[in-house]
Amino acid sequence: MGKSPGFMSRMVKKLTSDVSELDAEDLSAEVERSGCQKASECAGTGEAITVKGRLRSVEICPRDSVATLEAELFDGTDGVTLVWMGRRRIPGIEPGRTVRASGRVAVRDGRKVIYNPYYELQRAP
């Protein structure tokens, strides 16, 4: 009927795939369009990176009497923990919010971390 095989295969995939899997693909595609790096491709400690994704969780973590605000950013490929030292709350930093963050990546307990990142709150696509 004039529909390409690609259209049918995309429709079948959308009907049979898990919602979280489709959401991850959409996030990953948005990251590519925005020109940011994919979290899964950021490996080097000390590497300056810019990532974009959705905050999965936000929590206050008192570590050695210094409060830190930690947020897990997920871009569809991997997660990066954003850590603000000495902060208990930042307006707009809340689960579900889309954020673009820049800084130097470190590894803590096997996870990618950016300490005191520069961040921009983004509008939902």
Side-chain angles (χ1 to χ4, degrees), residues 54-72:
R54 189 172 303 128
L55 298 180
R56 282 185 164 174
S57 64
V58 177
E59 61 183 72
I60 299 170
C61 301
R63 294 192 188 272
D64 300 353
S65 74
V66 175
T68 59
L69 182 66
E70 297 188 9
E72 182 190 0

Side-chain angles (χ1 to χ4, degrees), residues 28 31-32 34-43 47-53 73 75 77 80 100-103:
S28 180
V31 167
E32 247 179 71
S34 71
C36 294
Q37 294 169 277
K38 291 183 178 180
S40 62
E41 296 172 357
C42 303
E47 176 185 2
I49 63 170
T50 299
V51 291
K52 181 178 179 179
L73 181 138
D75 73 349
T77 64
V80 176
R100 179 182 177 122
S102 300

Side-chain angles (χ1 to χ4, degrees), residues 6-7 17 26 47 65 83 87 105 114 122:
F7 173 79
S17 294
D26 288 345
E47 176 185 2
S65 74
V83 179
R87 301 294 298 263
V105 69
I114 300 175
Q122 305 284 300

Side-chain angles (χ1 to χ4, degrees), residues 8 11 13 15 48 59 64 73 87-88 93 119:
M8 288 304 291
M11 287 304 295
K13 184 175 181 179
L15 293 171
E59 61 183 72
D64 300 353
L73 181 138
R87 301 294 298 263
R88 295 188 185 279
I93 299 296
Y119 68 95

Side-chain angles (χ1 to χ4, degrees), residues 13-35:
K13 184 175 181 179
K14 285 189 180 221
L15 293 171
T16 59
S17 294
D18 182 22
V19 174
S20 61
E21 187 179 314
L22 292 172
D23 187 44
E25 287 178 11
D26 288 345
L27 275 171
S28 180
E30 173 60 28
V31 167
E32 247 179 71
R33 283 191 300 273
S34 71

